[in-house]
Amino acid sequence: MYKIKTYNKISVKGLDRFDRAKYEVASDINSPDGYILRSHKLHDETLPESVKAVARAGAGTNNVPVADYSKKGVVVFNAPGANANAVKELVLTGMLLSSRGIIRGMNWSNSLTDMTDAGEMSKLMEKQKSQFAGSELMGKTLGVVGLGAIGSMVAETALALGMNVIGYDPALSVEAAWRLPSQVARAENLQALLSRSDFITLHVPAIDATHHLINEESLKSVKAGAVLLNFAREAIVDAQAVVQSLDAKKLGMYICDFPEPVLLNRDDVYATPHIGASTAEAEENCAIMVADQLMDYLENGNIKNSVNFPAVQMERAGSDSARITFCNDNVSGVLGNVLSVLADHNVNVIDMVNKSRGELAYNIIDVEQTPAADVVAAIKAVEHVITVRVI
């Protein structure tokens, strides 16, 4: 029986994917085979040797020490795109709030507590409503930085609203390019996008290359009065530089999901408390996706949507066969040495697949019969092999 330890509150629809005849799922399990979590930070926790995989029910994995886990052969899964619609809708909300006097108008209306005559209040509304006038999104230009699952959905929605859309993503994948609407214009660089956009929305991961991507220098290129939206990650934006740009009346507004002390109590900043993926639907989608991925890995060795291992899928050779999976340092000769071990022990290989990603390689080998313990031990002893499993 596999054991899954949960952190945070995971959607029941995700947890119900686990067949309780094969899985024990709880928050207080010893020697778990895998983790499922949302925002819980694992950096300061000791990882049990039993853990084979960690599933983050969301897109970002900055709460998981991915590099350390990679060295131990632990697969880290995430759920890209599962919360995309929730974030897309919040981005749209941010654009609408920033372009119309909605919040200021509601606050002013709620301040009229000394008025008791509805007719007089109506007259006052007509007299004062011009101070809350805004502008429409149609015809404005949206710059989308990062054109993955969320960015492409935001771009498509903006086009449907009659906006012009510019996109910038130096790491755009072929799959994402096919998904992207053809009407999205391509910016040569970030500066070109910032200078042409009335609204700028960020949808890139928090990695070293994107740390403070929006900073004092890049904000010099921003179009005067532009609205910056950040529903991706806090570290992408230098908040102090944003405040300086707002004070200089260069940047018009900053809409984000990451409040910081320097951003509070400003009329030109709307900061929500990290609610981008906080919808019932998004939490369910994320939990279902990572539960399925975790089960497929534990039961079949297949890998999909891992942030540190290559994507690997292979159909089972047959009900009588056994499956060996192993990961290793991505250096030459390892697979050949493992195959030599199997040949020396007369273990017949039926099918196999080998993939690599960065410094790691991962292998699935289907064999005619379950290998003996000495065969598994011999594979583990091969230089550069990190972990071995027999499924």
Side-chain angles (χ1 to χ4, degrees):
M1 176 171 284
Y2 295 107
K3 297 181 178 181
I4 306 299
K5 183 173 182 176
T6 62
Y7 292 91
N8 311 115
K9 184 179 180 181
I10 306 299
S11 169
V12 172
K13 288 193 175 181
L15 298 181
D16 283 347
R17 307 288 283 192
F18 294 102
D19 182 350
R20 292 309 193 269
K22 295 190 292 184
Y23 289 88
E24 180 182 355
V25 183
S27 61
D28 58 351
I29 286 180
N30 294 320
S31 300
D33 294 286
Y35 290 163
I36 289 187
L37 71 158
R38 291 175 61 201
S39 59
H40 181 81
K41 297 185 185 300
L42 294 173
H43 291 271
D44 298 326
E45 296 196 10
T46 301
L47 183 73
E49 292 184 4
S50 60
V51 174
K52 303 169 183 65
V54 172
R56 159 76 165 100
T61 54
N62 55 324
N63 57 322
V64 181
V66 177
D68 291 341
Y69 286 9
S70 297
K71 295 175 183 177
K72 298 175 181 178
V74 175
V75 182
V76 179
F77 294 101
N78 69 342
N83 60 8
N85 189 71
V87 178
K88 176 204 76 175
E89 291 184 0
L90 197 56
V91 171
L92 176 59
T93 301
M95 288 197 293
L96 290 168
L97 289 176
S98 65
S99 62
R100 306 289 296 269
I102 298 171
I103 291 180
R104 290 189 299 111
M106 288 192 302
N107 289 340
W108 178 78
S109 297
N110 286 327
S111 71
L112 305 177
T113 54
D114 58 336
M115 299 192 70
T116 57
D117 188 303
E120 290 299 316
M121 181 175 287
S122 178
K123 292 178 182 178
L124 182 62
M125 296 286 181
E126 289 300 315
K127 181 179 179 180
Q128 298 294 334
K129 68 180 183 180
S130 61
Q131 64 179 303
F132 308 112
S135 59
E136 299 179 12
L137 297 181
M138 179 179 286
K140 302 300 188 301
T141 298
L142 172 66
V144 183
V145 182
L147 296 165
I150 298 174
S152 60
M153 289 182 69
V154 171
E156 187 174 7
T157 300
L159 289 169
L161 291 172
M163 300 183 75
N164 305 307
V165 180
I166 306 170
Y168 172 69
D169 190 339
L172 184 65
S173 67
V174 174
E175 181 182 356
W178 277 108
R179 188 170 56 230
L180 198 63
S182 60
Q183 302 97 314
V184 177
R186 185 171 67 92
E188 293 295 329
N189 51 54
L190 178 62
Q191 287 70 29
L193 181 143
L194 295 176
S195 66
R196 297 165 55 191
S197 302
D198 301 298
F199 298 85
I200 304 120
T201 183
L202 309 174
H203 301 288
V204 294
I207 57 178
D208 289 343
T210 61
H211 180 74
H212 284 184
L213 180 70
I214 302 299
N215 52 45
E216 183 177 1
E217 184 61 30
S218 62
L219 285 170
K220 292 178 181 178
S221 301
V222 78
K223 182 178 180 180
V227 176
L228 175 66
L229 301 107
N230 178 18
F231 291 92
R233 282 291 179 267
E234 179 180 352
I236 297 167
V237 173
D238 181 347
Q240 189 61 57
V242 164
V243 168
Q244 292 173 1
S245 185
L246 290 169
D247 289 342
K249 305 302 180 184
K250 181 69 171 172
L251 193 64
M253 290 195 73
Y254 181 44
I255 317 295
C256 73
D257 208 18
F258 314 100
E260 298 183 50
V262 71
L263 300 173
L264 302 182
N265 297 314
R266 295 185 61 103
D267 292 338
D268 49 11
V269 174
Y270 295 160
T272 51
H274 203 185
I275 59 173
S278 294
T279 67
E281 296 86 350
E283 292 178 10
E284 290 172 0
N285 293 339
C286 288
I288 290 170
M289 181 181 288
V290 296
D292 289 348
Q293 291 166 182
L294 185 54
M295 286 189 293
D296 196 18
Y297 176 68
L298 292 176
E299 296 179 27
N300 301 302
N302 293 325
I303 299 177
K304 181 180 181 181
N305 292 329
S306 169
V307 299
N308 59 340
F309 273 66
V312 182
Q313 298 280 323
M314 191 172 86
E315 293 292 329
R316 288 277 193 167
S319 58
D320 295 331
S321 65
R323 173 162 288 188
I324 302 170
T325 70
F326 70 93
C327 71
N328 57 274
D329 298 322
N330 189 19
V331 297
S332 62
V334 180
L335 177 58
N337 291 335
V338 171
L339 292 175
S340 294
V341 168
L342 296 176
D344 291 343
H345 289 81
N346 296 315
V347 178
N348 188 40
V349 174
I350 302 173
D351 199 0
M352 62 173 290
V353 62
N354 164 260
K355 298 286 185 179
S356 63
R357 177 176 179 175
E359 298 179 351
L360 290 174
Y362 181 74
N363 311 265
I364 300 177
I365 303 176
D366 280 355
V367 294
E368 282 188 344
Q369 68 278 340
T370 301
D374 61 332
V375 177
V376 178
I379 295 174
K380 289 181 179 178
V382 171
E383 187 177 8
H384 296 295
V385 168
I386 302 171
T387 60
V388 181
R389 296 175 61 215
V390 177
I391 306 171

